Every structure is written in C-alpha cells, then in structure tokens.
Amino acid sequence: MTAPHHGRQLRKNDLAKFEHTYKAEIASVSQLTAMERLYRIQIIDPEERRLFSFKPGQFVMLELPGIGEAPFGISSSPSSRDDIELCIRTAGNLTAWLARATRGMRVGIRGPFGTSFPMETMHGQNILLIAGGLGLAPLRSPIAYVQEHRNRFHQVEILYGTRDPSQLLFTFQYDLWRRDEIGLGIIVDKPDPAWKGPVGLITRLLEPIIAGKDEAFIQNTSAIVCGPPIMFKSVCAMLNEAGIPMQKMFVSLERRMHCGMGKCCRCNVGSTYTCLSGPVFDFWSVMNLKEAI
Amino acid sequence: MIFKVCEQEELRRLFDILAADNTVVGPVQTGLDRNGSALNAFKPVADYTNLNLGYTTTKLSAKSYFLPFRESLASFQIDGNDWQKTVDYHCDRPIVFFGLHACDINALNKLDKVLMGNTYPMPYYAAKRKNMFIIGIDCQPQPFCFCRSMGSDTVLHGFDLFITDIGNRYFIEIQSATAYNILARIKTRPPEEVDHLQYMAIAAHKNKQFTSRVDTTDLTKILDMEFQSPVWKQWGDKCLGCGTCANVCPTCYCYGVEETVDIGLRSAQKVKTLYSCNIVDFAEVAGGHNFRSERHTRLKYRYYHKHRGFVEAYEESLCVGCGRCGEACLAGITVPEVIASVRGEES
Amino acid sequence: MKSTRTIDIHHITRVEGHGNISITVKDGRLIEARWEVVETPRFFEAMLVGKKWENAPWISGRICGICSIGHTLASIRAVENAFGIVPDEQTASLRLLLKHMETLQSHVLHLYFLAAPDFLNVGSVFPLINSHPDVVQRAAKIKQLANDLCDCVGGRRMHPTRTVVGGFTMLPEKKELVRFKERLNEIKTDLLDTAELFRSFAIPDFSRETEFVSLQGNGAYPFIGGNLVSSDGVVKKEQEYAAMTNEYLVEQSTSKWSHLSRPSFAVGALARLNNNFALLNPAAQEVSVSFGLKPINHNPYMNNIAQLVECVHVVLDSLRLIDELLGMSWKKPRHPAVPKAGIGVGAVEVPRGILYHCYEFDDEGRIVRCDCVIPTSQNHANIQHDLSALAEQCASQGKQDREIELLAQMLVRSYDPCISCSVH
Amino acid sequence: MDASQAQNRTYLGMPLARPRVAFFELSSCEGCQLQIVNNEANLLDFLSLVTVVNFREAMTEKSDAYDIAFVEGSVTRADEIERLAVIRKNAKVLVAFGSCACFGGVTQLKNRFKDPAWVKKQVYGDRSIQTNDTARPLEDFVSVDLRIYGCPVKKEEVEKIVTHVVLGRSIVQPKYPVCMECKENENTCLFDLGEPCLGPVTRGGCDSWCPNSRFGCWGCRGPAEDANVGQLQVIMKQYGFTEETLLDRLECFGGFAKDAEQLRTNMKLSPRRHEGTK
Ligand SMILES: Cc1cc2nc3c(=O)[nH]c(=O)nc-3n(C[C@H](O)[C@H](O)[C@H](O)COP(=O)(O)OP(=O)(O)OC[C@H]3O[C@@H](n4cnc5c(N)ncnc54)[C@H](O)[C@@H]3O)c2cc1C
Ligand code: SF4
Ligand code: SF4
Ligand code: SF4
C-alpha cells in the first residue's frame, strides 16, 4: 500500500469491535454559526469512558438509531478523557436531525477510527496549522495538543480562512491561542462592514510566513492542512515551492464512508481506504493517489 | 496433501451424510435460456439427484450465502429516550457447499483477506465463513473463462475436499481433518499410479481448453499510466451504470448502509446492502459533491480497485477470471476486452 | 321552512371517482333528481389505437385501480378470442382463482370501508378503529388474505404482472397454495360474522322494478366469458355485447349510459345473483335466503347483501379450485400467441358487474379499434331512475333533507360505483 | 381521523409533529390511493403517525387544513388545474403520488396523437367534451415537493417515505436502475429468457416488482439518474426486439417522454397508422 499507517492500532476483541457502539449522551450543544454546532458527547458507562482514547486527527462514527450514521472528526483535546467534542455542520439527513437535538439525547459512537497527525514526530519543530472553513474543526484537536505541550514546539502559526466573518468557528478560543504564543492569522473572502482584517484567499496569509525564511526554518517545519480539496491543493503546492518536504505536510481527506473500517469501499480513493489509511495522509501519499484531488 | 479415490456412487452417500444435519448448497439447473442452454444457480439441495455437478457456470456467484445482498447489521429497540442495540451475525447453521469451482473458492480466499484480515474483521462474514464445509469440483473452461490468466484455475487452500472426475471415479484432494473424518464414512481407496496419470492427463487437457485470456504483466503500472486513456470514455459510454457486474461477481463486496425506522416507531434497523461502484451516487458525499460523477470514471474505478489497488495491497488481483461480469453485462463489457484496450491491444 | 329545497352533493364520497347528486323538492313534490357524472375522461379507447396486442392488457388494466385484475382478464380474453387462443385448464383455473380473490377483496372493501360507516352512523371507517376494533380487524384480515392470494397468483394485487395473453409468466408454488387453503378455511367464520354484522343493519326498504344483466351461468356461477343474459329474457352471445349494452351519450355525464329492454338496467352482484341464484354454492344460497334475498329482488340496497353472498361463494369455490390445482401437475405456464386480423370480445364479471373489452386487430396484431364497456356506465341510467323514484318517495313521505341526503348517497354507494372506470 | 385521538409521539425523546394529510385525485384510476387502504397490516400504525383529514375515496368528512397533500393523477381538464392550485396553496408539502402525477402516467399516451380532435371523436363521436389537449404531470402547473413513483406506488415505499417525513428525515430515493434490485432478488435476467425489459434504465425502488414475476419492466418509475437509454436501444436490437417494442415501453408511463418522442421521430412512426385501413 502506498499510504502510511501511523496511528493505526490493533485492538482486542476485534470481531466484536465491528459493530461495537458506545452508548453516549449529548452533554451540551452550542451554536457556533448558523450551520455549525459544537456537541459535547459523553460515553455513559464510566468504565467504557475510561477505555476510550483517541489521537488528534482521528474520527468517530456517530449514530442515531434509525436516522443514520456518519463520520465526524474529533474536535477536542486528546487529553480530556471525560468527553469528546464534535463540531458538526448541517449537511443532510443525520446532521439535520442533530441540529434539532438537545442535551440528553442518546447517541451511538463507534471508533475512534483512522490515522492521526503524528504530533510526537513534530516535537522540536515549527508547525503551520492551516484551515479552510470547516477544516478548523479537526484542527482544534492538534491545536489543543500543541497548547498543552507548548514548550515542545518552536514557532506555531494558525492560518484560518473562511468565506465571510459570520462563518468563523471557535471565536471564543482565539485569545486563548494567542495567549499561548500561537500565531493566529484570519482572512475572509467576503468581508462584512465590520471586518477589519485581511481579505482574500488563505494563500495570502501564508505568503509572508514562508517568504524569506531561511533553509533551517523550512527544514524544521511541518504543516497540517485541513479544508476543501481545492484549498489544500494550492496551499500544499505553495509549501512545496517553499521547500517543505511533502512527507511533512499532512492533510485530512473527506470521503463518503459507511463503515469506517475498510470494508464498504465507499471511501476508496484509487484503492486506498480513506478510513484505514487516512483520513490523515502526508501529501506525498496524496500525490500518489489517483483522483484524490 | 492426502489423496483418495472413490467410485462415483459413493459421492451420493457423502451427500446424504452431509445433508442429514446441514444445509447443503450446490449447483442446480433452474431452466433454459432463450438459446436453450442450461441456466444454473446455487440453491439449497435436499436430494442428490437435483445437483448438476457437471454445470458450466452459474449466472450469479454463491456470495448470497456468505455476503447476502441485504443483511441487517443491527437492530434497535426504541424505548422513549433510550434504545438498545442488538447485533446478530445471521449464522445459525453450517453450510455445505457441494460443488464449487476453483474460481469461486479462490474468490472466498480473496474475500478472506479483506473481510477477515486487516484491523477489523467483519464478523457477519467471518461467522459464516467459519461455518462452511466446501467441496470443490473440477470444471471445463468456457469461452468466457480467463481464470487461468488470473491464477485462479486451480485452488490451493480454502476448501475441505476437492474432487476431480477422472472417468467413472473421483480423485479426491483432502484439505481438512473434518473432511478426512467424514470421508472415512464412505468407501475410498488410496490412489494408484494409474489414477495419478489419469488426473494429470485431465489437467493437461483442461489447460488446452482456455480461449480467453488477460495479460496481467505489469498491469498495475500500466493502469496507472493509462489513467487518462480515452478508452475509458469509450467503455463508459456503453456502461448502463446498473451494477450488474458487481452483483454477479464473486469478489465484489462494496456496500452501503441505511437506517430505517419501522412505521410504528418501536424499532429501527441498520441494514447493509451490497452496492456497486458503477452506481451513480457511489462516491457522492453530503452537499451533493460527487467524486465520480461520470460513468466512465466509475467503470474505471472498478478496474482500478480489482486490478491495481488490491494487487498493491495483497499481491494478487481481486478478480478470479470467472467471466460472470462480462456474461451478465447487457452492454457486453468484458474484462479481457477492457484490459486489452487499455494495453492498446486490438481486441 | 322554505318551500323549495335543493340537496346538492358535490363529489359524493366513499365511492371511486367523481359524481354529484342534486335533488330539488318544491312544496313536498319532487321537481328533479339528478345523477351527474363529472369524471374527467382519459380516452383509453383512443390511446390503444395503433398499439400492438401485448400492450392491451397492461395498459387497459390501468382503467381501474380497484378491479385492475378484472380489466386485465377481460382484455386478455378479448385478445385471445381474436387470435383463436383457448386457455388450458390450468390457466383457466388460476385465472378464476385470481378473479375470485379480486371479487372478495373489492366486496370486502365496499362492505366494510365504504358501506358500513353509513349504517354505523360515522363518516368513514377510521372512527371504527377505536369504536369497533374487532370489525375493522376482521375486514383487514379478509382483505389481506384476498390481496395476498392475488399477489401469489397474479404477481401483485393491483395491475397484475403475471397475467398475460396465453397464460401466466410464472406459476405460484404449490406449497404456497396449500398455505392459502388454511387461511381460506379460517376466514369462513369471519364471513359468517360479517353476515351477523350486516343482519344488525337496517337495509332501507325501497324497490323499483328493473332489468338485470349478467353473464349466463353454464353449470357454474359465471365469472369469465359465456353468454349474456337479462332478467327480461334477452340472451346474446359474448361477441354481440354491443346489442346488450346499447351505449349512448347524455348531457349530464361524461360516461356513456346504457339501456336494453327498458329505459335502464342494472349489473353487479345483485344482477348476477338474480340471474344465477341456483348456481351459487349452497352455503352461499343459505346466507342469501337468511336475508330474504331471493331472485328476483328489486331493492338496489340489497346489492350489499348480494356482495356478501358472493364473498361466501368465492371463498368456498376458491377452496375447490385450489384442490383442483393441487391435483394437476404444472404444465408450461404460457403458450405463444400468434396475432391475426379480426375482432375479439372478452366479457368478465368484475365486482361491479359485467365488463366488456373489444378490440379489432390488423394482421400484425395492432389495434385498429377499441371499445370498453364498464359495469358502472351500464348502471348510471339505473342509478338515475332509482334516484328519481327514491327522491319522489321521500318527498311524498315528507322526509327531512338530512335523511334524504343520506338515503340518496347510500343508494349510489350501494351500486359500489366505479366512476372513474366508467369514464375511462 | 379525529384529531383528538392524537397522542404526542416522540422519537429518541424528540417530539414529532403529527401531520394532517389529505388525499386528492385528478385523472387516474385511483389505484395509488387504494394502495394505502390495501396496506392492511400496517394501516393502524400509519393512522397513528398522521391525521387523515381528507380522503374522499374512504371518508365523508373533509377539511382544507392539511400539511401534506398526496395528489394522484394527471392534469387533463381545466377544473383540475384550479383544484390543484388550491391544493398547492393549502399544503405545506405537495406530494406527486404515483406515475400519473409524476409523469402523466398511462393517460399521457393520448398526447402522442398530436390531434386532440381525433382523440375526442374516437370516444365521444360528435358530442363536445371538455378536456385539455394533453395529459400533464403536476409539476407542469405547480411546484412539487416530493415524488412517489410507480404505477401503482409500492406500499412499503409509501410507508417508508411517510415515516421519514414524520421523523423529519430527508427523503432519498434510489438513483440506481431496477437491475440492481433485480440481481439482489437473484432473478434470471429477462433478456436471457428472450423478453425485453426496461430495468437497465428505470429508477429502482420497486424491488424489481415486475421482473420478479418474469415480466419485463415497462419503466413506470421513470428514468434512473444517469440512465443510458441510447445503449439500451443498442441492446434491444442485439437481442432481436423491434424499435416498436422499445417505444411501447418508453412511452407507456411518460417518464421517458423525451426519449420516446425522439425514437418515434427517428422511426418515422405515425401513432395512428391505422386510420387508412379503417
Ligand atoms: C473522516 C471524516 C471526518 C469528518 N468530519 C466532519 C466534522 O468534523 N464535521 C462535520 O460537520 N462533518 C464532517 N465530515 C463530513 C460528514 O461526515 C458529513 O457531513 C455527513 O456524513 C453528512 O451526513 P448526513 O447524514 O447529514 O448527510 P447525507 O447526505 O444525508 O448523508 C448520507 C450518508 O452519506 C454519507 N456521507 C455523505 N456525505 C459524506 C461525507 N462528506 N463524508 C463522508 N460520508 C458522507 C454518510 O454515510 C451518510 O450517512 C467528515 C467526514 C469524514 C469522512
Ligand atoms: S470481475 Fe468479473 S471476471 Fe472477475 S471475478 Fe468478478 S465477475 Fe468474475
Ligand atoms: S430482468 Fe431487467 S431489471 Fe432484471 S437484470 Fe435483466 S434487464 Fe435488469
Ligand atoms: S419493474 Fe418497472 S414497471 Fe414494474 S414496478 Fe418496477 S419500475 Fe414499474
């Protein structure tokens, strides 16, 4: 297989794992934007809760019996063992139902599945965390990791672009990030009258950050890029231009998924299962996947 | 490997022994097609005389017995705010396959790799697979068979018994201890030199019968290079996008999941349905974006999955060359022709 | 009270299709009672022109959702008669069984869902779900059996898929038929309970002499093909149907109307029973007599009871048919049809009365002319005459509007009219 | 049904609205409505999900306050256009119920004659009769929110759709052709048996109702998404069926009206070739 396998682990009781659902409860819902909500989800059984752990970049399958099941990237800190947070955009059947859901609703969780961002291998490096739109949701988990281990990283920059200011996610955290000496640049495509920041595509924010950097900086930098294919394609091209090795850029691919376990084939790109070998890929692997972008 | 030889009549006794406490599934003639040729299907059989062991092929593979077209993955009892999930692997009785050809057994071996291997074995499949007793039987190559090209004309494992008709007696290959013990209940003898010679003669004769072939040399690389080849569009224009090729194929396992609530709102079902990558919404995601909206991109994907991706992952192709897909395709799209055209060969 | 009263019922409910009733009474005297058929025409008889024969049963079955099986069988019979095909015994028995189950399904639908609410003083079957759950369950049970057996023999209960010219595309499995025997036996008591229920209803007392037209039984209570007969003594061959139906156009209706020896005649369960009483299964006869229903009965409201009697008959006859079918060894389900030029007529007794399909073919089997005569269109004139007589009687008895309105609607409903069918 | 009987239903703790539904019919055989009543086994559950306020075929009471209107039949007369406009105004969700409502159904077969006067004359002689020249689907006059395909509609599908509507789930209909379900049912392909079939181009969801009876599909559910009608034409020819056979099926229910029109033009086939011979 062409793709790396970091973060993949064999688990006990594999057979029973296939349809194993953690019963969980929606502990709180907060509206982030018109279309996105943040759901705090807590596994009900304390023993199961203790056993559940994940790495930044991994996803879970969230199920409402009879309504549907879909993959969502975990958006909270891997060290918080009490609950997980999912940032969900209303997009169709299940997500529309979730939009009406309130505290206390019982949902099913399978997972965590998939590969993760190799945070440990980035220790001692500069990190660029680049997000477009809903791409900030899966980035919030590695950001939390960086915050908690801030001294293990050098320069850390978050670059975030959305279509317009009303779509900005997690606005309540921006100051906290900056306080932890994480650079934060935000750009919008279509500003409203109140908008004071830069306007344009995310690449505009990236330019000054990589422009004129010396070889040492470039060689010591990793990037995590999340967003629509068109966005990560141009961002990665620019990073590549600047000399950052493709193996050190990580993207998260989104495909249709029905199982999360490399069986249903729906997420296949070329013939790589996005759910097993991904969703996190290094960009070199993505280049080798036919029709990935 | 242990070999035995038995008289033809002994096979009926073997059948009766197995049928006494198991569901036996085997090839049965179900009718005639418009040209008067026999139509065969794998059906549960209670009476040995209903078996058609000399069958050429079946229209559909045997997969409905281990990968049903539709299977409930879980059911839910809904109780106010709460719900209970129940999982059932739907495997209540062992199944005896009486008379699978080598290609179909190879297909099971390939499915094992994905469905029983990797991180998450699929219990619905595994439970049935582990409850199988397989008797293979030799066959005569048909004009559409290219199993030889795919290395699936013989089978090395994945069965209990394999029988070859060597003229008024059967040559038996024994793979499992279970099979060995069961065979003790019928009359067999060790093969003699003449049996070996006869077996080899039959195998040699069979090898000469193949007319259809696929050149797999360097195929993964060629497929990679020819990703943009215009031949895909030509085949795509013919494709009906009906999913028939995947549905008849012994190795196609892709599926979709749907959840439904019963009209009384008391229970819900999570149902898996085999899907086909040729179907228009196979790679469609929420919001309507379709990663393969054009017919030829979907058709191409089926070939890439079987002949490139699977090879890279498991060092073998996901196609056993049974030729069913080409036979069933109303538009006449066959694997040998498609691959030949991608290789730039005249077909 | 005003001296001139008009009762207008726009789109009478619990019937199939659209019809209006209008009654005007002045100073206790009837001025006019009108039965209007306002259904939109669909032009099936034009639609089929130019189409090959194999289209006829598939398309013309769509004339009616309730008796699509009857239409399909009449159409098949017309084609087969034109091509000189005589169905073998296996096909004939299966078709009759299918026909019986449609009759049962349709009669039970009418008796319980459309007629019974009137007698129980409710607007529909829905309130009965709570007030009379046993009644609704019984209706559902009988109907479901009839429909399931239609699925089994005809492929599906509505717009059947297995019925074709020359036979069937495939045959039911015998073990399925055995299972249906059990269920048929089981519902015998449900039918007796149905009779008890209807015995508790006050069937309006009203009679008007008329002529009754149906198939003429030849050794068996008639359903498919044979001679045509009227209670006034007219007998005609199947292919002479036009002389039996004499269709004409009237201004108040988009459906054609019919007459024979008198200004109007009636078809349907009551007509069949009046003309073929002796051929009913004895147990069915017994039920009939218990309601005082004997030939020739002229009370149109008794059509409900005639339907009930027929339910008993078809269930018992189906048991006989299944035994007969189980005794046969299955032959080829379907024989090839060779088209030829000519005219074919198929007459079939559908739940609401006798139905005719007639096609003229060219030598390649394309339809040149098509004519379908629907039971309800044959009944329209009779409904009009009954309605006038009823209104007159009510007016002279000084009945209240509400009562007249109910009686008038019940009268129309008792014919179980299939109005959209009659317009087709 | 009496609204007072309505209890408040919930699903997974979420309260569900109990929609008021009405059934209407335009030009049709009323079979699709009957399928609701034909659904004996689940009728009670159906009635506890919704409140039926208008169903002329089965009940006398009527109300114009409804949320969902199921409209069966095609539009063939001026008064139907008016009725439909009123229904559209009253209903939050308008459902085109069955092939007639979705595509014109068998009734649109009269459209092919292009000579409305002849059509009328064929049935009514010289008497004048009020009717539109063509039979049309609902969406030619009003916006349609949901389509339930089929001639007749399939009760299992109706049930599922109604349940989904009540639950507030989006309605996703199969995009694949009938062949998909036909294979699932392990049928022998009718082409192998020498029968024509429209399954390869017709939208699935009927569970291959007709092929299950060894009867080729006539396309009552209209085209599948991305249907390859051109290729089916090639196949029909290869299997020895005439273009007329294909045309008969394509034009039967109106879902393939454009393809049928095209084919008829290519064939230079007059719909009334018999006038002369008569
Ligand atoms: C690895 C991964 C992580 C994701 N993370 C997030 C997240 O953090 N927040 C978020 O809002 N969305 C996320 N998505 C997208 C999310 O899964 C879809 O929006 C969701 O499936 C829509 O489901 P639905 O039932 O509302 O839509 P429908 O269109 O009604 O979906 C029907 C079915 O199609 C499949 N499907 C449809 N769209 C997608 C899709 N884009 N990806 C995968 N399967 C799909 C699902 O199986 C779903 O059950 C992620 C997707 C993937 C693959
Ligand atoms: S792809 Fe075709 S030839 Fe290969 S195994 Fe599947 S059906 Fe057989
Ligand atoms: S019978 Fe019709 S629907 Fe079934 S596979 Fe063949 S073409 Fe497709
Ligand atoms: S098989 Fe075809 S004609 Fe029959 S119900 Fe399905 S779509 Fe309609």
Side-chain angles (χ1 to χ4, degrees), chain A residues 7-292:
Chain A
R8 186 165 130 190
Q9 53 191 156
L10 269 161
R11 294 190 290 164
K12 277 189 217 146
N13 277 332
D14 277 336
L15 276 190
K17 284 288 181 232
F18 194 88
E19 265 299 324
H20 178 74
T21 298
Y22 297 105
K23 198 188 278 187
E25 207 165 70
I26 297 182
S28 70
V29 186
S30 42
Q31 185 96 27
L32 297 182
T33 71
M35 296 300 280
E36 282 103 2
R37 286 170 182 73
L38 188 66
Y39 298 81
R40 198 155 57 77
I41 290 170
Q42 189 168 58
I43 292 172
I44 293 172
D45 184 280
E47 180 62 9
E48 281 186 345
R49 197 186 312 156
R50 204 178 54 75
L51 288 175
F52 185 95
S53 69
F54 70 94
K55 296 187 166 176
Q58 285 195 296
F59 67 97
V60 291
M61 297 293 285
L62 180 110
E63 178 172 34
L64 281 178
I67 306 296
E69 189 180 36
F72 298 99
I74 303 173
S75 197
S76 47
S77 163
S79 65
S80 150
R81 304 299 292 265
D82 230 28
D83 51 33
I84 57 169
E85 285 177 341
L86 305 177
C87 168
I88 294 176
R89 170 182 291 178
T90 305
N93 168 37
L94 174 74
T95 48
W97 235 82
L98 279 170
R100 291 154 54 201
T102 47
R103 228 184 99 191
M105 180 174 284
R106 299 199 158 182
V107 301
I109 296 281
R110 291 192 298 123
F113 295 121
T115 51
S116 55
F117 301 111
M119 301 314 289
E120 288 86 355
T121 63
M122 298 180 194
H123 288 172
Q125 301 194 2
N126 309 307
I127 304 192
L128 303 178
L129 297 138
I130 309 172
L134 190 56
L136 191 62
L139 274 199
R140 190 163 165 256
S141 185
I143 293 174
Y145 181 93
V146 171
Q147 279 179 290
E148 286 157 23
H149 307 93
R150 184 65 191 89
N151 55 356
R152 298 189 192 165
F153 300 92
H154 284 293
Q155 188 177 340
V156 180
E157 297 286 341
I158 298 174
L159 307 178
Y160 177 35
T162 63
R163 214 186 53 213
D164 61 63
S166 75
Q167 295 186 339
L168 290 173
L169 296 170
F170 305 115
T171 44
F172 57 90
Q173 286 199 298
Y174 299 169
D175 286 342
L176 299 174
W177 290 341
R178 289 193 176 110
R179 203 192 57 198
D180 284 334
E181 288 174 41
I182 296 176
L184 175 63
I186 300 175
I187 189 165
V188 303
D189 203 12
K190 301 206 165 49
D192 59 14
W195 182 253
K196 304 244 160 29
V199 173
L201 296 177
I202 187 112
T203 38
R204 247 196 78 190
L205 289 185
L206 186 56
E207 254 164 47
I209 296 210
I210 49 177
K213 286 288 189 306
D214 59 12
E215 187 60 20
F217 179 90
I218 294 292
Q219 283 309 317
N220 200 29
T221 298
S222 287
I224 296 179
V225 189
C226 275
I230 175 99
M231 169 259 175
F232 70 67
K233 216 167 124 182
S234 51
V235 167
C236 290
M238 222 167 137
L239 295 171
N240 188 38
E241 191 95 334
I244 298 180
M246 281 195 262
Q247 293 95 319
K248 290 175 80 175
M249 305 172 200
F250 298 90
V251 301
S252 180
L253 293 192
E254 195 182 293
R255 280 295 189 278
R256 184 165 184 141
M257 285 176 192
H258 286 237
C259 70
M261 295 174 290
K263 299 290 178 280
C264 77
C265 291
R266 303 303 282 270
C267 67
N268 269 17
V269 182
S271 41
T272 299
Y273 289 98
T274 310
C275 63
L276 287 183
S277 307
V280 175
F281 290 93
D282 67 35
F283 197 63
W284 170 242
S285 305
V286 174
M287 294 281 289
N288 277 295
L289 294 175
K290 290 285 176 224
E291 59 166 25

Side-chain angles (χ1 to χ4, degrees), chain D:
Chain D
M1 198 172 169
D2 189 0
S4 64
Q5 292 164 10
Q7 42 323 40
N8 286 329
R9 304 288 299 260
T10 61
Y11 187 72
L12 300 180
M14 292 252 283
L16 300 180
R18 184 190 171 101
R20 294 164 64 88
V21 307
F23 291 87
F24 299 99
E25 64 290 310
L26 307 178
S27 299
S28 70
C29 76
E30 300 195 8
C32 289
Q33 285 187 47
L34 191 68
Q35 284 290 75
I36 301 282
V37 186
N38 263 343
N39 177 14
E40 299 88 4
N42 292 332
L43 192 59
L44 296 187
D45 280 329
F46 178 83
L47 292 172
S48 65
L49 276 188
V50 298
T51 306
V52 179
V53 299
N54 220 322
F55 194 166
R56 196 196 43 78
E57 204 178 20
M59 65 192 274
T60 295
E61 301 87 348
K62 34 190 146 183
S63 157
D64 289 331
Y66 42 83
D67 305 304
I68 308 174
F70 290 86
V71 183
E72 178 192 335
S74 59
V75 181
T76 74
R77 214 166 55 181
D79 60 320
E80 290 180 332
I81 302 179
E82 285 163 30
R83 278 180 66 211
L84 186 58
V86 173
I87 296 168
R88 174 68 276 186
K89 215 172 89 224
N90 291 342
K92 293 195 190 88
V93 179
L94 190 149
V95 185
F97 196 42
S99 294
C100 292
C102 295
F103 313 119
V106 282
T107 314
Q108 56 78 47
L109 275 168
K110 74 169 186 177
N111 299 1
R112 75 185 197 276
F113 293 112
K114 310 275 179 277
D115 183 359
W118 176 87
V119 172
K120 281 192 204 178
K121 196 165 168 147
Q122 197 68 8
V123 179
Y124 289 101
D126 293 329
R127 179 186 152 175
S128 79
I129 192 97
Q130 220 269 296
T131 187
N132 294 350
D133 290 349
T134 52
R136 309 240 64 104
L138 306 189
E139 64 179 341
D140 284 6
F141 304 93
V142 295
S143 62
V144 168
D145 304 305
L146 190 63
R147 289 170 188 78
I148 302 185
Y149 305 104
C151 180
V153 295
K154 191 148 195 172
K155 69 183 174 89
E156 288 81 1
E157 197 182 10
V158 177
E159 259 178 28
K160 183 171 155 185
I161 289 178
V162 169
T163 310
H164 280 194
V165 167
V166 170
L167 285 171
R169 278 187 63 171
S170 45
I171 310 297
V172 186
Q173 268 143 338
K175 296 179 177 170
Y176 51 73
V178 173
C179 290
M180 191 74 188
E181 286 159 353
C182 190
K183 284 282 164 303
E184 199 176 302
N185 287 318
E186 303 188 36
N187 295 327
T188 302
C189 179
L190 283 152
F191 281 97
D192 283 334
L193 296 173
E195 295 282 332
C197 183
L198 233 52
V201 293
T202 303
R203 183 188 293 273
C206 64
D207 196 29
S208 61
W209 223 352
C210 298
N212 292 354
S213 286
R214 292 207 191 131
F215 184 75
C217 168
W218 284 68
C220 78
R221 301 169 62 85
E225 232 124 297
D226 205 19
N228 195 344
V229 179
Q231 186 62 28
L232 181 64
Q233 206 169 327
V234 175
I235 293 164
M236 289 285 278
K237 199 163 165 193
Q238 276 168 0
Y239 278 81
F241 302 112
T242 61
E243 285 186 312
E244 189 175 355
T245 302
L246 176 61
L247 178 65
D248 278 347
R249 288 178 187 238
L250 284 177
E251 76 184 357
C252 190
F253 293 102
F256 294 90
K258 283 205 189 75
D259 304 284
E261 184 79 42
Q262 182 71 49
L263 181 58
R264 185 176 279 288
T265 313
N266 294 350
M267 287 166 69
K268 302 193 177 55
L269 184 73
S270 149
R272 272 162 50 200
R273 54 174 62 187
H274 299 281
E275 284 222 286
T277 61
K278 206 177 155 187

Side-chain angles (χ1 to χ4, degrees), chain B residues 171-347:
Chain B
F171 188 87
I172 309 176
E173 228 176 300
I174 307 170
Q175 271 273 349
S176 71
T178 324
Y180 187 84
N181 290 337
I182 290 175
L183 272 193
R185 297 169 64 184
I186 66 167
K187 251 208 295 259
T188 58
R189 61 169 170 81
E192 293 158 12
E193 186 59 23
V194 44
D195 300 315
H196 289 174
L197 290 174
Q198 182 66 5
Y199 178 88
M200 287 186 286
I202 281 177
H205 175 74
K206 178 178 167 184
N207 280 348
K208 292 199 203 99
Q209 305 294 302
F210 288 99
T211 50
S212 186
R213 64 183 289 275
V214 165
D215 184 357
T216 55
T217 326
D218 231 3
L219 188 55
T220 55
K221 229 177 279 169
I222 289 169
L223 284 171
D224 222 359
M225 293 188 300
E226 295 304 318
F227 193 75
Q228 304 294 353
S229 165
V231 299
W232 293 116
K233 182 83 176 66
Q234 284 161 26
W235 292 111
D237 285 346
K238 287 181 153 209
C239 176
L240 293 158
C242 65
T244 290
C245 49
N247 281 331
V248 301
C249 176
T251 60
C252 274
Y253 58 89
C254 306
Y255 66 85
V257 175
E258 196 194 21
E259 304 214 4
T260 51
V261 184
D262 87 272
I263 186 165
L265 309 185
R266 291 173 286 260
S267 62
Q269 293 290 327
K270 182 179 189 186
V271 179
K272 144 182 190 266
T273 312
L274 292 192
Y275 220 68
S276 161
C277 47
N278 283 306
I279 299 299
V280 60
D281 58 356
F282 186 82
E284 194 177 291
V285 295
H289 179 70
N290 192 340
F291 285 94
R292 292 181 214 107
S293 61
E294 287 171 298
R295 233 179 272 140
H296 75 270
T297 59
R298 299 193 294 273
L299 180 115
K300 178 164 68 179
Y301 168 77
R302 184 158 184 271
Y303 282 84
Y304 273 72
H305 185 200
K306 286 201 176 294
H307 297 277
R308 177 177 175 267
F310 202 83
V311 187
E312 284 175 349
Y314 299 105
E315 265 125 43
E316 58 181 90
S317 158
L318 185 59
C319 169
V320 294
C322 69
R324 284 192 181 94
C325 56
E327 283 296 284
C329 176
L330 290 167
I333 303 172
T334 71
V335 177
E337 283 179 88
V338 171
I339 304 261
S341 73
V342 175
R343 301 185 80 102
E345 292 163 10
E346 293 291 318
S347 58

Side-chain angles (χ1 to χ4, degrees), chain C residues 99-324:
Chain C
K99 181 86 253 323
H100 278 352
M101 288 303 106
E102 179 182 75
T103 305
L104 182 61
Q105 170 275 119
S106 173
H107 282 356
V108 168
L109 176 76
H110 181 247
L111 289 169
Y112 277 94
F113 287 33
L114 311 184
D118 282 330
F119 295 103
L120 295 166
N121 239 328
V122 287
S124 75
V125 72
F126 300 140
L128 300 181
I129 293 170
N130 292 324
S131 64
H132 297 71
D134 50 327
V135 170
V136 178
Q137 267 161 27
R138 193 192 309 134
K141 180 175 167 196
I142 307 173
K143 232 170 84 39
Q144 186 168 10
L145 160 65
N147 276 329
D148 289 352
L149 188 42
C150 287
D151 288 350
C152 169
V153 177
R156 68 182 170 200
R157 54 195 63 187
M158 187 184 296
H159 305 323
T161 47
R162 293 187 185 179
T163 42
V164 285
V165 172
F168 285 83
T169 56
M170 66 190 284
L171 303 172
E173 288 200 35
K174 289 200 170 165
K175 57 175 190 271
E176 294 177 273
L177 290 180
V178 172
R179 258 180 266 134
F180 277 109
K181 247 181 82 171
E182 279 167 37
R183 286 174 68 186
L184 282 165
N185 273 318
E186 249 177 60
I187 61 153
K188 283 189 209 159
T189 40
D190 296 298
L191 287 176
L192 294 180
D193 291 342
T194 308
E196 281 320 304
L197 176 71
F198 273 76
R199 222 185 292 287
S200 70
F201 296 163
I203 309 280
D205 185 18
F206 167 81
S207 270
R208 187 187 67 85
E209 271 210 22
T210 191
E211 186 175 12
F212 291 99
V213 174
S214 72
L215 281 172
Q216 185 176 40
N218 181 11
Y221 197 78
F223 284 100
I224 301 179
N227 281 346
L228 321 172
V229 66
S230 101
S231 55
D232 286 358
V234 184
V235 178
K236 297 239 179 286
K237 295 221 167 340
E238 200 169 351
Q239 57 271 36
E240 300 166 333
Y241 78 100
M244 207 75 180
T245 57
N246 306 302
E247 286 199 304
Y248 62 102
L249 286 161
V250 290
E251 167 267 330
Q252 74 206 69
S253 162
T254 48
S255 163
K256 292 171 185 170
W257 288 24
S258 282
H259 69 86
L260 185 58
S261 321
R262 312 181 188 216
S264 73
F265 65 84
V267 298
L270 187 58
R272 284 192 290 262
L273 184 140
N274 276 334
N275 290 348
N276 298 286
F277 187 79
L279 297 170
L280 278 170
N281 183 295
Q285 279 183 9
E286 213 173 286
V287 173
S288 187
V289 173
S290 76
F291 279 89
L293 174 57
K294 276 179 281 191
I296 289 174
N297 186 304
H298 287 285
N299 179 354
Y301 294 97
M302 286 303 271
N303 192 49
N304 290 319
I305 306 305
Q307 289 182 326
L308 172 64
V309 172
E310 286 194 337
C311 288
V312 177
H313 176 85
V314 297
V315 165
L316 297 173
D317 201 47
S318 297
L319 283 163
R320 177 191 65 80
L321 274 170
I322 291 181
D323 278 334
E324 201 178 289

